[in-house]
Amino acid sequence: MSLTGVKIVGVGHHAPAHVVSNEDLERWLDTSDEWITTRTGMKRRHWAADAEATSDLAAVAATNALAYAKLAAADIDCFIVCTVTPDYYFPATACIVAAHLGAKDKPAFDISIACSGFIYGLTVASGLVRSGVYRRIMLIGAETLSKILNKEDRSTAILFGDGAGAVILERAERNSFLGAELGADASRPELLYVEASGSRRPIDGAALEEKRNLIAMQGREVFKVAVNKMIEATDVALQKAQLTKADVTYLIPHQANKRIIDAAAHYLGVPEEKVVTNIAEYGNTSAASIPIALSEFVRAGRLKSGDVIVFVAFGGGLSWGAVAWEWQQAA
Ligand code: ACO
């Protein structure tokens, strides 16, 4: 199979209008702006309205990416949404987004791997483009985690936000996808999961009573694994790309916790000014966090051709991954 190249030609993002500040959380939780800021780096997060679903956020982000790339929905050959907060069990959220955009009869599917979603999605979509299956793919990370958040649990309620980020991948002569490393280990799913949500434990009255239909996390345990796996994945992705840490122009990590990002960046020897963070504004938006950060960064004119970016994430599964990517500026 002869591979050709892939590049990103469009970026877009969107977050719900409703902003929840740390001070807002103080009103009903035993917490403080000081605790949240020092332990996480978060100041605000956006939470969707009752009537606002994941596909609604995704469709706006995708529309913005199309406008950026000066393309129409009909120019896209396949739609992929990375999410753990789909509109429904089925149909896939990607099908709903494609329909919303007016893309008729196009393939569309979801990827469910929590906060690592965009990294897995970028790897899968790049493979589909490079192997010639599709010319252009709309890849979206979109979440409404506020819908599965126990808003009375201070250890998780403060962390998560809603949003969507989209990229359009297009076949290219030069190849931006330099290397990737993905991994997963579900030996302890209870470290970070929604216990009552599927066939293992369907949602029933008791589950609702005990709030087992909402996110539960053992934060301290997750924290330790997160730092190690993000470092390992970055190292291996760079090796596969035949690059070293010194070649990295920017690190765009999943925005889970500023302390996790700082620890990983410190180990990797990437100085603060090369680490892209927007966690103060959005909190942890799971699969949406990296494409939102990328879209903001690109739209601010911060990337130039030849810059090497490492995208790296860690999340539920447990799962992790990193992609080394060379930026190509749109002509
Ligand atoms: N306000 C005030 N105090 C709090 C709060 C809060 N919001 N939350 C917890 N505390 C208390 C705890 O009760 C505990 O009190 P105690 O010492 O009296 O028992 C104390 O603060 C310390 O708690 P820890 O859990 O040890 O705090 P830690 O420094 O580990 O920070 C956090 C917690 C922010 C959750 C951190 O562990 C973390 O970020 N973990 C990783 C999260 C993550 O990356 N998840 C993966 C991605 S998510 C996905 O895939 C969907």
Side-chain angles (χ1 to χ4, degrees), residues 6 11 15-16 50 67 71-72 106 120 134 182 195 217 243 290 294 299 303 329:
V6 59
V11 290
D50 288 346
L71 292 169
K106 295 290 174 70
Y120 274 65
Y134 297 118
L182 306 176
E195 185 186 353
M217 179 172 74
L243 296 172
I290 291 176
L294 175 65
R299 284 163 177 267
L303 286 176
Q329 198 58 37

Side-chain angles (χ1 to χ4, degrees), residues 82-94:
C82 310
T83 187
V84 285
T85 46
D87 287 24
Y88 310 104
Y89 279 139
F90 62 87
T93 303

Side-chain angles (χ1 to χ4, degrees), residues 62 65 79 92 105 120-121 124 162 165 171 190 206-207 229 233 237 240 281 320:
F79 293 80
D105 297 341
Y120 274 65
V124 169
D162 304 337
R171 200 174 305 154
E190 70 282 1
K229 289 299 182 188
K240 288 182 179 173
E281 178 60 34
W320 54 89

Side-chain angles (χ1 to χ4, degrees), residues 35-49:
W35 194 97
I36 300 170
T37 306
T38 53
R39 296 294 182 116
T40 71
M42 297 168 188
K43 296 300 262 182
R44 287 170 294 281
R45 65 286 295 144
H46 298 239
W47 283 357

